[in-house]
Amino acid sequence: MTVSVTAHFRIAWRAFKTHRRVFIVSMLVLFASWASLELCVGTLHRFGVTLNVLLHVAFLWLFSGLMVGVHGMALDAVDGRVPRLSRLTASLERGPAWLLAFCVYLLSVIGGLLLLVVPGVYVAARYALFGPVIATRPATGIEALRSAGALSHGRRWAMCRFVLAALALNVAGAALLGLGLVISFPVSLLAASSLFCTLQHAPVASSAARTDGASEPIRPGCP
């Protein structure tokens, strides 16, 4: 099956334009969680290292759970369902799995880049879709990485192009004083969700059976 990276980013852009308010608000919530951590650390630093560590652990748990929620919202959007902010906190219990997968993924990518660059790019591409896996079903971090690797099997070049395109988009967003990330980051997640749905080969429920006011799927194949 041919994977068109450009097509997935076009789908992502259409989905973002349709639901831009909910995704911009979700990005602001993520930023607010980080800002709250910094405020608490700055205010309570005199109470010692233990409290500082506890605050960071609480932040990582919350942020990871919110990331699972954003992935779920992205999957809803590309499937034609209406992404709702309530989804943002609906899967907080999956946050630890996302955090573990992210840490293993990040360390593996960094290790590969330090070795010969190419291994890092390979790891980044092969396991990039662990987020949608966790948003779709309960899974441990390692199981999510394995599932992501299985989905990308035999499609290494398409996945490399996708990861590089997403990286370039977010670098451009960050270059705009970081403000562009409010758009580039959700668009990247939407594109990843579209790609994930394509690789899943999952049927989409008939629009006639929908009762949530959703539109026709922006792209077919989301679970």
Side-chain angles (χ1 to χ4, degrees):
M1 178 182 62
T2 302
V3 177
S4 173
V5 173
T6 302
H8 290 297
F9 277 96
R10 287 175 180 168
I11 290 167
W13 179 241
R14 290 205 306 270
F16 178 79
K17 288 194 297 182
T18 302
H19 306 290
R20 58 186 177 276
R21 290 183 181 178
V22 71
F23 282 108
I24 289 175
V25 170
S26 67
M27 292 301 102
L28 294 178
V29 170
L30 291 176
F31 175 77
S33 68
W34 171 79
S36 298
L37 169 69
E38 294 301 314
L39 179 62
C40 290
V41 169
T43 303
L44 304 175
H45 70 278
R46 63 181 180 277
F47 291 102
V49 176
T50 301
L51 181 58
N52 196 320
V53 171
L54 290 175
L55 287 172
H56 280 81
V57 169
F59 164 74
L60 289 173
W61 175 81
L62 175 62
F63 185 86
S64 300
L66 292 175
M67 281 300 303
V68 177
V70 175
H71 279 293
M73 292 165 60
L75 287 166
D76 286 343
V78 298
D79 191 31
R81 296 188 293 268
V82 178
R84 303 187 185 280
L85 279 176
S86 58
R87 182 74 185 266
L88 195 59
T89 56
S91 302
L92 291 179
E93 73 281 358
R94 300 184 190 179
W98 186 93
L99 180 60
L100 174 60
F102 176 76
C103 289
V104 173
Y105 177 78
L106 183 62
L107 291 174
S108 299
V109 171
I110 292 174
L113 292 174
L114 291 176
L115 288 175
L116 291 170
V117 178
V118 174
V121 175
Y122 171 79
V123 171
R126 181 165 185 180
Y127 300 102
L129 298 178
F130 69 87
V133 172
I134 295 174
T136 301
R137 60 179 176 83
T140 66
I142 301 303
E143 289 171 347
L145 289 169
R146 287 174 178 167
S147 295
L151 283 173
S152 63
H153 180 70
R155 305 180 180 94
R156 66 172 68 92
W157 296 118
M159 291 300 301
C160 283
R161 292 196 302 272
F162 174 81
V163 168
L164 291 175
L167 177 62
L169 178 63
N170 284 291
V171 168
L176 298 174
L177 300 178
L179 298 178
L181 289 171
V182 175
I183 296 175
S184 65
F185 189 62
V187 169
S188 297
L189 294 184
L190 285 160
S193 295
S194 177
L195 177 58
F196 172 79
C197 292
T198 296
L199 299 182
Q200 281 282 88
H201 297 291
V204 179
S206 170
S207 60
R210 297 184 187 276
T211 59
D212 58 358
S215 59
E216 287 291 332
I218 292 178
R219 50 94 48 242
C222 287

